Amino acid sequence: MSILVDKNTRVICQGITGKTGLFHSQQCRAYGTPFFGGVTPGKGGTEVDGFPVFDSVDEAVRKTGANCSLIFVPPGGCGDAILEAAAAGITLIVAITEGVPVLDMVRTADVLATKFPKSRLIGPNCPGIITPGIAKIGIMPGYIHKPGPVGLVSKSGTLTYEAAWQLGNVGLGQSTAIGIGGDPIIGTNFIDALTLFEADPQTEAMLMIGEIGGNAEIKAAEFIKASIKKPVAAFIAGQTAPPGKRMGHAGAIISGGSGTAEEKIAALEAAGVVVSRSPADMGKALVEAIAQKKSK
Amino acid sequence: MKIHEYQGKQLFAKAGVATPKGIVARTPDEAAAAFTQLGGPIAVVKSQIHAGGRGKGRFKEHPDQPGVKVVKSADEARDHAKRMLGNTLVTIQTGPEGKQVNTIYVEGGLNIARELYLGVVVDREAGSPVVIMSSEGGVEIEHVAKVSPEKILKESFHAGYGLQPYQARRLAYQLGLNGAAVTSAQTFLPKFCKFFVDNDCSMAEVNPLVVTAEGELVALDAKVTFDDNAMFRHKDFAELRDLSEENEFEVRAGNAGLSYVKLDGNIGCLVNGAGLAMSTMDLIKLHGGEPANFLDVGGGANVQQVTEAFSIILADKHVKAVLVNIFGGIMKCDTIVTALLSAYDTVGFTVPLVVRLEGTNVEIARKMLADSGRKIIAATDLTDAAQKVVATLKA
């Protein structure tokens, strides 16, 4: 088992004729992801590297039975692409695009919630989602992720690769790894992912990687305390970040003294989560979290 | 992107948000002329820098001169402008180094009855913009939030429909406004929220928002920050940017497509990915070092970007060692090493360089580094990298 992605997932790419969109569509296909083509308005009826191209998501869905879309369109068109996918009945939308205006996401998230509650958005500004051995829908290097019992959820891309690699070193693979993205407004948050992992029989433990900015990690800590039975370990990036400065991700900023790593770490520890202080010890922290649960 | 108060007020005026009359001055004589032109018995001379706390702030060159001053004559306006222009204003928000004042704004006086706080930001949790108001005008909102959180009022609004009049009335009544002030709030607040949305702001703050004796709401201050990601649809805002207010290396990094933030330590770092870059700083600190910067070269780092990244890091004279931490994913490690070696030679390294690589093609990349003949210290993992780079400082 896994979450969100399984053998019935049928993927298309919005923005498949762009350089990045095509490259990653090829990579996903090479990984074994069931990939059925893509969408670029105005280029319908053509083909790129064996992928059929459609004018609209609606057409792609009708002709391929796609239920998942991987989005690589430029930032200004990302909100529109997400809504087009939702309107066409796509149930899993993975938006990789970085640099989407915040108010675009405010409007997009509002329409998704009110008009298309059956569509789940992951991202934007994220590496995507992978169920090792089954499907990779995103830009992560597939070989780092091995199948296994850990549910991995993270705001960051390369830090997720680092975590997956460390998990591999302690002999733990992942049921599914989700990059939820580093923007202020995102489709799937920590609590959504933790809920799905808690219900997934393959997932035995969870590793959560957060960072400074906002209070999603604190909300997640409250949720873990109340509703999560499986062991959880965490790491929070940005313990040394200065206030008021945006650290790469649009959402990674300590504003008005809140959103610090310190307060997030304290909240998670109070919820019984094993928090690694060093990014080098994420794998070890998870092993410790599992051992702690067993001894109780 | 931040803009100056006077620029914010000019944009407010365009959006129908009431502001006092004001005139920009860049010389003491212009300040005197502005006073005369405004025609009032009093005016306010205000230093223009991208930081708050100006009224309480003082100048390095003139320790008695505040950053904002009420004046009663053209001569007085000229005198204060003389002590402000070209000098360095230190406020609680500028840090001890302060900021140079190059522009002042001379504003007409108002008959002030009350001072309130008004701000609009995007509430991440609610996923919508939110109006924040308080009866404590002129006080930092963070301070009010700590000391008397019950005085903070919040009203979320829909980004498409805007703040509704009933919401504005609700805020007005909660703030204890009455009569003409409620009517004024009912037009002022929705217009202010529309300004926020139409201009893709990430923050718009008016502190204080004044209620005049006549019951009119007027923006006495303007602190506006735009969403950098939305600037592609506001091309005209480029001319509002004041590069003298920004760190020159952060500007250079931005132009090269790098994300860089200068810090106070002495270990420079170059990392791919924002989360890993933040973690690398944390790691350095954890092992007893101090990071000199945050630098994310992004996913597709090429030779030009890595070269520019190294030269920005090394231009900081405090930097005594550099740590490169790369987790090669789609961007293969050997590609990164090719860029690293080329940049290393171009820049001319004089401080120790520690490199930690992991990920795709790492074996080839490590061999390339070892065979390169350059004085590069290879690290096996994250902890090893941090220990080695901190050790170079002690050697």
Side-chain angles (χ1 to χ4, degrees):
Chain A
M1 279 289 285
S2 56
I3 66 165
L4 300 172
V5 177
D6 58 29
K7 289 193 171 110
N8 301 318
T9 304
R10 297 171 70 86
V11 188
I12 53 162
C13 169
Q14 284 169 268
I16 197 164
T17 54
K19 193 177 154 217
T20 316
L22 178 61
F23 174 76
H24 287 291
S25 296
Q26 289 164 333
Q27 295 283 315
C28 291
R29 180 174 61 186
Y31 186 81
T33 306
F35 221 99
F36 295 91
V39 175
T40 298
K43 294 196 178 160
T46 63
E47 210 175 75
V48 279
D49 192 35
F51 290 117
V53 181
F54 305 96
D55 278 323
S56 68
V57 181
D58 191 52
E59 186 193 358
V61 167
R62 274 187 280 114
K63 294 189 175 157
T64 68
N67 53 18
C68 173
S69 180
L70 180 60
I71 297 181
F72 280 99
V73 305
C78 187
D80 181 53
I82 291 167
L83 293 180
E84 183 187 351
I90 295 281
T91 48
L92 183 63
I93 304 165
V94 183
I96 307 299
T97 307
E98 180 178 358
V100 181
V102 177
L103 286 170
D104 284 11
M105 277 314 299
V106 165
R107 295 185 190 93
T108 305
D110 180 59
V111 179
L112 273 184
T114 51
K115 302 267 187 206
F116 308 111
K118 284 182 186 152
S119 295
R120 172 178 293 282
L121 169 67
I122 297 176
N125 189 14
C126 79
I129 176 167
I130 182 167
T131 291
I134 305 288
K136 157 180 131 91
I137 306 161
I139 59 173
M140 64 289 279
Y143 78 96
I144 296 171
H145 297 272
K146 307 279 186 247
V150 181
L152 177 54
V153 55
S154 167
K155 275 186 177 176
S156 152
T158 44
L159 196 50
T160 310
Y161 313 161
E162 179 74 46
W165 181 77
Q166 285 180 23
L167 288 173
N169 289 349
V170 292
L172 291 169
Q174 296 101 58
S175 53
T176 298
I178 312 180
I180 58 174
D183 274 1
I185 309 283
I186 51 175
T188 295
N189 60 28
F190 283 121
I191 294 178
D192 298 329
L194 294 170
T195 306
L196 292 163
F197 282 133
E198 180 77 1
D200 170 41
Q202 190 199 326
T203 304
E204 291 166 24
M206 304 166 211
L207 177 59
M208 169 183 150
I209 301 170
E211 64 191 22
I212 54 160
N215 69 346
E217 292 82 355
I218 291 181
K219 290 280 156 193
E222 290 164 7
F223 179 77
I224 290 166
K225 197 170 186 180
S227 312
I228 298 288
K229 304 270 185 305
K230 295 175 182 175
V232 185
F235 174 74
I236 304 292
Q239 295 165 54
T240 49
K245 285 280 189 180
R246 217 167 280 284
M247 307 302 278
H249 287 157
I253 180 166
I254 298 169
S255 45
S258 72
T260 64
E262 217 40 56
E263 69 189 34
K264 294 182 183 202
I265 291 169
L268 287 162
E269 284 180 343
V273 174
V274 177
V275 183
S276 162
R277 295 283 167 152
S278 165
D281 297 334
M282 294 184 285
K284 273 188 217 158
L286 187 72
V287 171
E288 196 187 318
I290 295 170
Q292 273 187 16
K293 278 277 169 180
K294 271 187 189 153
S295 68
K296 269 181 193 164
Chain B
M1 182 183 112
K2 290 180 180 174
I3 57 172
H4 287 294
E5 174 199 1
Y6 76 90
Q7 296 168 323
K9 283 182 172 165
Q10 286 165 356
L11 293 174
F12 283 179
K14 258 192 222 167
V17 173
T19 59
K21 270 188 197 153
I23 297 166
V24 176
R26 291 195 170 82
T27 65
D29 285 339
E30 281 177 18
F35 182 92
T36 310
Q37 202 185 322
L38 288 169
I42 61 159
V44 189
V45 180
K46 304 172 97 173
S47 305
Q48 299 296 297
I49 55 168
H50 287 184
R54 294 169 298 165
K56 292 199 181 87
R58 293 292 183 270
F59 285 82
K60 274 190 178 168
E61 297 83 356
H62 302 282
D64 295 330
Q65 176 67 44
V68 175
K69 182 73 179 135
V70 176
V71 296
K72 291 183 176 143
S73 71
D75 284 343
E76 228 188 306
R78 185 187 289 110
D79 286 349
H80 285 288
K82 212 178 269 175
R83 286 195 288 273
M84 291 174 177
L85 287 164
N87 291 328
T88 308
L89 180 58
V90 180
T91 80
I92 49 162
Q93 290 186 9
T94 60
E97 69 277 13
K99 278 190 170 174
Q100 186 175 325
V101 176
N102 299 315
T103 306
I104 55 177
Y105 194 51
V106 185
E107 210 166 54
L110 289 176
N111 203 352
I112 296 171
R114 276 189 73 184
E115 294 193 352
L116 309 170
Y117 171 90
L118 167 65
V120 178
V121 291
V122 172
D123 180 344
R124 294 162 70 148
E125 211 184 326
S128 69
V130 60
V131 180
I132 301 167
M133 292 193 81
S134 141
S135 54
E136 304 289 293
V139 183
E140 270 198 61
I141 195 70
E142 290 84 5
H143 179 74
V144 181
K146 245 179 231 156
V147 178
S148 35
E150 76 286 352
K151 287 187 179 156
I152 292 184
L153 308 173
K154 288 187 177 180
E155 189 76 38
S156 288
F157 66 93
H158 194 280
Y161 308 136
L163 186 81
Q164 299 301 302
Y166 80 88
Q167 296 183 291
R169 287 197 300 276
R170 181 153 68 197
L171 285 164
Y173 288 126
Q174 283 176 296
L175 288 162
L177 302 184
N178 48 40
V182 176
T183 315
S184 177
Q186 204 174 279
T187 50
F188 183 99
L189 295 176
K191 276 183 184 169
F192 189 75
C193 292
K194 187 170 186 309
F195 165 85
F196 179 91
V197 172
D198 288 350
N199 293 289
D200 277 294
C201 298
S202 52
M203 191 206 53
E205 190 180 62
V206 175
N207 190 18
L209 168 67
V210 156
V211 185
T212 65
E214 298 78 28
E216 198 199 350
L217 270 63
V218 182
L220 201 57
D221 186 27
K223 202 171 172 189
V224 176
T225 308
F226 298 120
D227 177 359
D228 291 332
N229 287 340
M231 287 304 98
F232 66 87
R233 58 184 168 218
H234 302 283
K235 297 242 162 40
D236 51 325
F237 288 174
E239 65 187 49
L240 301 177
R241 191 169 175 194
D242 182 353
L243 290 174
S244 73
E245 287 281 342
E246 298 178 39
N247 178 292
E248 86 173 273
F249 297 108
E250 294 182 12
V251 173
R252 254 177 77 182
N255 292 338
L258 308 164
S259 186
Y260 170 86
V261 176
K262 188 182 164 354
L263 303 168
D264 297 329
N266 54 11
I267 298 175
C269 33
L270 184 159
V271 188
N272 65 333
L276 194 60
M278 272 187 271
S279 310
T280 304
M281 289 159 40
D282 298 346
L283 189 74
I284 289 170
K285 178 93 175 177
L286 206 63
H287 290 275
E290 289 290 340
N293 65 275
F294 164 94
L295 195 152
D296 171 13
V297 289
N302 56 37
V303 177
Q304 288 78 19
Q305 279 177 314
V306 178
T307 306
E308 181 68 352
F310 274 148
S311 60
I312 288 169
I313 290 171
L314 295 175
D316 178 352
K317 293 298 163 226
H318 299 114
V319 169
K320 298 286 179 260
V322 175
L323 171 59
V324 170
N325 181 17
I326 300 289
F327 203 108
I330 299 300
M331 170 57 61
K332 298 177 184 74
C333 290
D334 51 327
T335 314
I336 293 272
V337 167
T338 308
L340 278 182
L341 293 176
S342 160
Y344 184 91
D345 295 343
T346 311
V347 173
F349 252 84
T350 50
V351 298
L353 172 64
V354 177
V355 177
R356 182 268 180 162
L357 294 166
E358 200 51 69
T360 315
N361 288 357
V362 68
E363 297 306 330
I364 307 168
R366 284 190 183 147
K367 189 165 180 330
M368 284 168 68
L369 269 185
D371 296 347
S372 72
R374 276 87 163 179
K375 280 170 69 183
I376 298 174
I377 304 163
T380 51
D381 61 28
L382 279 179
T383 304
D384 183 47
Q387 284 168 347
K388 278 182 173 155
V389 75
V390 172
T392 63
L393 299 182
K394 291 174 182 152

